[in-house]
Amino acid sequence: MSADTEAEASEEEVQSEAEAPEEETAEALEPDPVREALRDRLGAELGEALVATDLASGVQLTVRVTAEAWRTAGLVVRDQLGCRWFDFLSAIDWLPSPYGRYEDDGMTPPSDPDTEIETGIAGGETRFQVFARVVDTAAHTDVILKTDVPDDTLTVPSWVTVYDGADWHERETWEMFGISFDGHPALRNIYLPSDFEGNPLRKDFPLIARIVKPWPGIIDVEPMPAEDEEAAPDEAASKESAPEEGESS
Amino acid sequence: MSQILGVELAYWQQSILRSVGVLLAVLLPAGLFVQVFLFKMMSFMQSRIGPNEAGPYGSLQLLAEVGKFLQKEDIVPAKADRRLFFLAPYIVVASVLLMYVAIPFGPEAFFADLDAGIFYILAVSSISIIGILVAGWASANKYSLMGGLRAAGQLIAYELPMVLAVVGVVIQAGSLNMFDIIRAQADGSIFGFSALGNPFILTQFVGFAIFMVAAQAELTQPPFDMPVAESELVTGYMTEYSGLRFLLFFIGEFASAGAFAIIASTLFLGGYYVPGLDMDASYMNVVGPVVLIAKMVLVGFLIFWARFTYPRFREDQLQTFAWTVLIPIALVNIFVTMILKVVF
Amino acid sequence: MTAVTDREQLRYVAAQAADARINFEIETEGMTLNLGPQHPATHGTLRIVAKLDAEQVISAEPIAGYMHRGYEKLCEVRTYPQVTTLINRIDWLGSFANEVPFILAAERLMDVEAPPRAQWIRTALFEMSRIANLVLFAGDTALQLGGQTAAFYGFRDREYVLNQIEAVTGGRFHPNFDRIGGLKDDLPKGWIADTKLAMEKVRSFCDEIDELVTGNEIFQIRTRGIGVIPGDVAQSYGLSGANLRGSGVNWDLRRDAPSGMVHSELDWKVHVHPDGDSFSRWWVRIQEIREASHLVDQCLDGLPSGPIMAKVPRIIKVPAGEAYVQTENPLGAMGYYVVSKGDLGPFRLKIRSASFNNVSILHWVLRGVYVPDIISILSSLYFILGDIDR
């Protein structure tokens, strides 16, 4: 098993770098009949709606469908492919973050942020993508489905009638990304207070904690005992930043 | 109580003795149970040590607890019905105090010798239900209300098995008077062997079992502690009480545990009678209470052992258990007792 | 208006208002009870808004989010080693187990494989965190149902396992021990023998709990037939772990989708119970504790020698790609979807936590049950707030 992961991981790298959203990606070094069968079945059922696939042999099958066919795809994987176990549903915002990311970056956005969107496995044409994973617990197979969210409406059909568990996941995606789900009975906040404004997981929503207190928090250098007698009170202030430091090299 | 150890007492001396006596009689079992069973025995059963800071081996923990409760802030919920809120703990404590009045501690050491002793005790123990209901209602808290309602249903339901269990004893003793019951046990004989008397636990073992189960429920102890179910209702009807009022509930709970244990030892284990000692001698006024307390501790051990071990019933299961299991068994017990009493 | 008319008018209005109040109060349409967010039974700050009809639930809705820490956003501004320290606080009882799927996903993207010794120790620590987590579950469930003593036994016996975890990782609850490419350190001397003793104690705890709780008639009537979740409903909601296996679905990620750990080389069983009620979920977990202790013993017996860390650059840059790894954590199936753009840190980290799905079923399963059964069901579904709220 471990040898396989090595082979496919390198395979996966090659695939993700090759930009070919319309075609099926290259075959793996080792054939994966189970996942290939799934992919072919999906292609047969969905036809035009299946936009792209990515098969990492022995590891993962990812398919991308059109937004209109999102719910149909869910029904297909549930009924035709027998994937009845619902894993998760969420979204990816492909816009590069205009804010700094690490310790040495400032958190103020640059004047000309990089807005080029580069999407990942199985391609993509929009800024937001909704993705979900389902599993067939009897046959031990799984599929990751992705779809492009239309930039103008930011709406995809809801999976609530397909999988019961999608209810909470769609609510979370709605509050974190602002993507609406057509057909969901009650889209409302699940984590955040109901008067919260904004969609936190979008890349253009700043991580306020970093702006308020830039990394790594208030630096408090405790002076040597001989030099300064009144060093004690400031100790508590630097403790707030301690959990963030973790294990840095 | 006109004389103790041969000394003639004036009426005012008797009154002082009675007042001090009833306080002692109530607080001593409560304190004993709390300190020994709740603090230490429960801790040892749960593989921990328990309070060991206050005094040697934590023996003064009780004092510390009382002091802590007395100095707490008196919090009354804003929407609570103030008069009822204040009244509730006193009703419960009053019920317990009244229970101790009819208990025989010795041939002359008693507060009142009532002809309908045990009947009076059972009747008066029901007054605490009113206190609990009032506490649950007056707290203006949904958890308390639910706890109070559950308590009312449960306590009323378990009154019946308790009464029926006692009826068996009464039939065998031939009287409701507590002293007569003790005398019947002392003078009785087991198949002709009269050295040990005839404690009713031997013949009324079914009654004893039912009485213990019903007493557990009357005290709202696990497995019957739905009204005080900590994991759901926080503390049920006592949730909003703090400080002195909570202390009163607490004392009431453990004092009534003591009362039921004393009643069980009187009805089933022979009360203050010890085989070998003359029941009516005047030194029994001092030895008797000690003997009774010892028996109370034994019975209390059973009560608290069950408390720490079992999960709790759901209240509908609890009610089903009372009405469809305990009461029929108690009735059968009465039948058999009646028949055997006539036959033998 | 004269004064008299005023008073009469006032009296009339007051009478009307009093009538209106009485009518409103007598109309009983069910009492709304808030269980939580501070409540002894909810394992943390979960709030359940239950509409009750006397003691029966008409509808119950869980409201999560009181502990939402924004993990996914936080992880986007951290490097991979920094993410590791953050994520083992998601499920704070199954400490080591949180780090493993993320590390495995990063290793897959980096095309790095931990050396065999590291994999075996990883498996052992993984199973030990499962034991620590589930022993607490056992004690806590009994406590919720009223059996106070079992909780203390649970804490006492959990100490043995936590001591062992501390001896090797330095932390009882938050080990921070897993590294991309292996582990931080090797085992200390004498650890294997001590851990085997600890596993003996865990097994005797399971026997004790079986006698004290599982066989207890009161416990049985409080849990049998309560909160029945059929297998297909469980799958549709995405329940995992013992919740799924307690409903009759035979699926265990350690056996069916192994990745990076050595479960496939060990001899163990998957326990499934068909009933789907609270008791079956409890039973499956107790068996899992036993099974985990045997797994740890086997891991320690078959431990290969060798390096503990693969050759990994000092500054970790994970190549571009996406990877998803899911493992059978103590609470259920936990997975991390790592989207990497070749940076020092993840571009997007989607955390799939088990309790999120486990709790989403509450509004379905709590319909029509009694209030005490809510507690029984909550404790049998066994969630951790950090896992729900991330």
Side-chain angles (χ1 to χ4, degrees):
Chain A
M1 186 67 198
S2 42
D4 296 347
T5 30
E6 225 173 329
E8 291 99 29
S10 54
E11 180 60 32
E12 196 179 282
E13 274 180 71
V14 169
Q15 289 171 353
S16 58
E17 283 172 50
E19 284 296 324
E22 294 298 297
E23 308 149 6
E24 297 184 5
T25 47
E27 288 299 299
L29 293 170
E30 296 172 25
D32 187 350
V34 175
R35 291 196 171 85
E36 284 174 27
L38 284 175
R39 182 189 60 193
D40 299 334
R41 185 87 190 269
L42 272 173
E45 298 280 347
L46 292 172
E48 283 298 308
L50 186 72
V51 178
T53 67
D54 178 274
L55 179 73
S57 179
V59 178
Q60 189 67 61
L61 169 66
T62 313
V63 302
R64 183 159 66 95
V65 299
T66 58
E68 302 89 43
W70 179 241
R71 188 169 170 277
T72 322
L75 287 167
V76 162
V77 288
R78 186 189 73 176
D79 299 328
Q80 262 74 41
L81 266 61
C83 294
R84 307 203 70 92
W85 192 81
F86 176 75
D87 197 358
F88 65 86
L89 185 150
S90 188
I92 308 178
D93 179 359
W94 289 107
L95 184 76
S97 170
Y99 301 97
R101 295 189 68 197
Y102 306 115
E103 302 171 22
D104 302 324
D105 303 338
M107 280 304 263
T108 48
S111 45
D112 56 338
D114 169 27
T115 52
E116 190 200 320
I117 296 180
E118 219 182 276
T119 48
I121 289 188
E125 284 120 24
T126 56
R127 176 180 165 191
F128 290 104
Q129 278 191 324
V130 165
F131 70 120
R133 179 169 180 267
V134 292
V135 175
D136 182 352
T137 56
H140 311 315
T141 56
D142 65 286
V143 184
I144 293 185
L145 297 100
K146 283 189 176 185
T147 184
D148 299 331
V149 178
D151 281 321
D152 43 356
T153 58
L154 280 186
T155 308
V156 290
S158 164
W159 267 24
V160 162
T161 48
V162 183
Y163 293 98
D164 290 317
D167 179 6
W168 271 34
H169 289 255
E170 287 180 356
R171 272 172 67 189
E172 189 201 348
T173 313
W174 176 79
E175 87 174 333
M176 290 291 169
F177 288 94
I179 299 172
S180 306
F181 290 89
D182 194 16
H184 192 286
L187 276 179
R188 56 203 155 88
N189 282 4
I190 192 168
Y191 279 154
L192 305 169
S194 35
D195 52 356
F196 193 91
E197 283 173 16
N199 303 102
L201 273 178
R202 289 192 182 184
K203 294 290 193 208
D204 48 359
F205 189 96
L207 184 60
I208 301 176
R210 278 284 173 87
I211 297 183
V212 164
K213 195 190 306 173
W215 185 278
I218 301 175
I219 300 187
D220 172 45
V221 179
E222 176 138 353
M224 298 298 291
E227 290 171 1
D228 201 336
E229 277 97 68
E230 40 174 42
D234 289 308
E235 254 184 24
S238 70
K239 287 287 183 235
E240 292 169 324
S241 60
E244 291 179 4
E245 286 177 10
E247 203 261 327
S248 41
S249 45
Chain B
M1 263 180 108
S2 50
Q3 57 171 4
I4 282 191
L5 297 171
V7 175
E8 187 77 27
L9 290 172
Y11 191 67
W12 65 269
Q13 288 167 325
Q14 285 180 41
S15 307
I16 292 182
L17 217 53
R18 277 180 219 247
S19 316
V20 170
V22 78
L23 281 177
L24 208 62
V26 171
L27 293 178
L28 183 65
L32 199 65
F33 274 1
V34 172
Q35 178 65 37
V36 174
F37 290 137
L38 192 67
F39 287 159
K40 282 301 185 179
M41 184 181 96
M42 170 155 109
S43 314
F44 289 152
M45 278 185 173
Q46 292 171 349
S47 74
R48 57 189 176 94
I49 302 180
N52 60 348
E53 294 283 325
Y57 295 105
S59 44
L60 295 179
Q61 180 71 23
L62 209 54
L63 228 61
E65 295 267 331
V66 171
K68 174 190 79 170
F69 278 122
L70 287 177
Q71 53 90 39
K72 279 199 188 244
E73 182 188 350
D74 188 11
I75 303 175
V76 178
K79 290 207 186 133
D81 192 333
R82 290 187 81 89
R83 265 186 288 183
L84 288 177
F85 191 80
F86 294 161
L87 194 58
Y90 294 102
I91 299 178
V92 174
V93 174
S95 152
V96 173
L97 284 171
L98 287 173
M99 269 207 280
Y100 276 90
V101 160
I103 291 179
F105 289 96
E108 308 263 326
F110 57 87
F111 302 107
D113 182 8
L114 301 171
D115 273 335
I118 188 64
F119 177 71
Y120 160 82
I121 290 178
L122 289 172
V124 136
S125 71
S126 315
I127 296 181
S128 60
I129 305 179
I130 301 180
I132 292 174
L133 257 179
V134 166
W137 172 260
S139 296
N141 177 344
K142 284 174 188 162
Y143 289 123
S144 308
L145 183 62
M146 286 179 63
L149 292 173
R150 286 180 181 177
Q154 169 181 323
L155 296 176
I156 293 175
Y158 277 88
E159 287 283 332
L160 268 167
M162 185 179 279
V163 169
L164 292 177
V166 167
V167 166
V169 169
V170 166
I171 291 177
Q172 193 163 356
S175 163
L176 286 170
N177 189 327
M178 297 287 269
F179 286 93
D180 289 344
I181 294 177
I182 297 181
R183 199 170 299 279
Q185 294 182 71
D187 295 339
S189 54
I190 314 170
F191 295 122
F193 177 63
S194 69
L196 288 177
N198 182 19
F200 286 155
I201 190 173
L202 295 176
T203 49
Q204 292 288 320
F205 51 89
V206 175
F208 179 69
I210 296 179
F211 186 86
M212 293 312 295
V213 171
Q216 195 89 359
E218 285 292 315
L219 298 167
T220 60
Q221 307 264 30
F224 302 103
D225 73 334
M226 261 295 134
V228 198
E230 249 176 64
S231 39
E232 310 156 30
L233 305 178
V234 193
T235 352
Y237 58 91
M238 289 192 280
T239 313
E240 294 290 345
Y241 285 88
S242 62
L244 179 61
R245 302 178 212 291
F246 180 77
L247 186 63
L248 286 172
F249 270 121
F250 201 63
I251 291 178
E253 180 182 336
F254 284 91
S256 50
F260 281 113
I262 292 182
I263 293 167
S265 9
T266 307
L267 293 177
F268 296 99
L269 293 178
Y272 64 81
Y273 169 72
V274 177
L277 295 180
D278 176 14
M279 234 185 75
D280 301 309
S282 65
Y283 64 78
M284 282 304 282
N285 289 323
V286 176
V287 174
V290 174
V291 168
L292 194 57
I293 299 282
K295 293 184 185 175
M296 173 193 85
V297 167
L298 242 110
V299 176
F301 176 74
L302 289 176
I303 296 180
F304 282 93
W305 192 15
R307 174 197 173 128
F308 306 139
T309 313
Y310 282 103
R312 65 177 67 97
F313 279 110
R314 212 172 58 198
E315 67 276 358
D316 62 319
Q317 295 162 346
L318 198 153
Q319 301 272 4
T320 318
F321 184 60
W323 292 96
T324 62
V325 175
L326 286 186
I327 291 185
I329 295 180
L331 288 172
V332 168
N333 179 40
I334 293 178
F335 266 139
V336 173
T337 311
M338 284 193 317
I339 295 173
L340 290 181
K341 176 82 174 176
V342 170
V343 168
F344 288 107
Chain C
M1 280 196 201
T2 66
V4 171
T5 322
D6 262 355
R7 248 182 282 137
E8 275 176 6
Q9 276 215 331
L10 278 174
R11 210 178 299 138
Y12 175 72
V13 168
Q16 291 288 73
D19 275 345
R21 263 205 309 277
I22 292 177
N23 289 338
F24 177 74
E25 280 164 8
I26 288 183
E27 225 174 52
T28 48
E29 40 171 51
M31 177 173 91
T32 307
L33 183 70
N34 261 319
L35 277 142
Q38 286 135 334
H39 193 276
T42 54
H43 297 268
T45 52
L46 178 68
R47 177 174 162 212
I48 298 184
V49 181
K51 238 176 163 224
L52 303 178
D53 174 23
E55 285 260 347
Q56 233 179 350
V57 172
I58 305 172
S59 75
E61 201 209 314
I63 298 183
Y66 285 91
M67 227 193 131
H68 179 63
R69 295 163 283 181
Y71 265 87
E72 299 181 4
K73 188 86 179 172
L74 285 176
C75 289
E76 287 173 11
V77 299
R78 274 166 176 71
T79 64
Y80 284 90
Q82 288 173 340
V83 169
T84 315
T85 70
L86 208 60
I87 56 177
N88 65 51
R89 283 148 172 85
I90 294 182
D91 163 23
W92 50 71
L93 289 181
S95 45
F96 185 81
N98 297 313
E99 311 170 17
V100 171
F102 175 76
I103 295 283
L104 292 174
E107 284 179 358
R108 184 189 289 177
L109 284 174
M110 277 186 81
D111 189 23
V112 155
E113 196 200 341
R117 186 176 172 83
Q119 288 186 7
W120 282 71
I121 300 180
R122 225 183 233 167
T123 313
L125 285 172
F126 189 73
E127 292 300 321
M128 281 170 73
S129 69
R130 180 188 312 276
I131 295 174
N133 199 334
L134 292 183
V135 164
L136 188 84
F137 154 80
D140 190 59
T141 302
L143 177 69
Q144 301 301 336
L145 293 178
Q148 308 153 356
T149 313
F152 288 97
Y153 294 163
F155 275 107
R156 176 196 65 189
D157 289 313
R158 195 161 163 258
E159 285 298 308
Y160 301 121
V161 177
L162 289 180
N163 285 343
Q164 292 310 109
I165 296 182
E166 187 191 6
V168 65
T169 69
R172 282 151 52 102
F173 268 53
H174 300 302
N176 292 342
F177 197 62
D178 224 348
R179 300 282 181 270
I180 298 179
L183 296 171
K184 174 169 176 276
D185 272 328
D186 211 329
L187 303 174
K189 182 174 173 183
W191 189 81
I192 295 184
D194 286 339
T195 308
K196 294 215 169 158
L197 282 174
M199 293 301 118
E200 284 294 316
K201 298 220 166 71
V202 165
R203 281 190 280 274
S204 77
F205 166 77
C206 286
D207 296 333
E208 210 174 28
I209 279 287
D210 268 342
E211 271 182 41
L212 185 62
V213 184
T214 313
N216 188 311
E217 295 82 10
I218 301 181
F219 180 79
Q220 298 244 339
I221 58 175
R222 284 300 297 277
T223 51
R224 287 231 191 239
I226 307 285
V228 175
I229 302 179
D232 50 336
V233 174
Q235 290 208 38
S236 178
Y237 274 96
L239 298 194
S240 48
N243 299 332
L244 195 61
R245 288 192 285 282
S247 293
V249 179
N250 191 339
W251 191 56
D252 187 324
L253 284 164
R254 294 174 285 177
R255 178 195 61 191
D256 301 329
S259 41
M261 285 188 287
V262 298
H263 290 103
S264 44
E265 302 181 36
L266 303 172
D267 176 31
W268 58 287
K269 290 201 300 276
V270 175
H271 297 274
V272 179
H273 198 290
D275 280 348
D277 56 12
S278 293
F279 182 79
S280 55
R281 295 189 278 273
W282 158 275
W283 183 88
V284 167
R285 287 196 176 95
I286 301 294
Q287 307 313 312
E288 280 186 6
I289 302 178
R290 287 204 176 94
E291 209 63 49
S293 70
H294 290 304
L295 274 168
V296 172
D297 278 341
Q298 290 177 52
C299 279
L300 298 180
D301 283 336
L303 201 58
S305 55
I308 202 80
M309 183 85 174
K311 269 277 167 212
V312 169
R314 195 156 171 272
I315 309 272
I316 296 198
K317 269 198 172 193
V318 171
E322 297 173 25
Y324 181 73
V325 174
Q326 197 178 43
T327 55
E328 186 76 25
N329 279 34
L331 290 176
M334 181 179 217
Y336 291 83
Y337 193 93
V338 181
V339 176
S340 164
K341 289 218 164 177
D343 271 340
L344 294 168
F347 180 77
R348 162 104 170 94
L349 181 68
K350 160 72 189 162
I351 307 173
R352 193 271 182 196
S353 53
S355 303
F356 189 68
N357 286 36
N358 289 350
V359 169
S360 66
I361 202 177
L362 276 180
H363 78 100
W364 183 88
V365 77
L366 287 181
R367 294 168 310 179
V369 302
Y370 290 113
V371 169
D373 293 334
I374 301 181
I375 309 299
S376 168
I377 295 171
L378 283 180
S379 36
S380 77
L381 278 180
Y382 194 47
F383 45 84
I384 297 287
L385 252 299
D387 212 36
I388 308 177
D389 286 348
R390 284 178 263 134

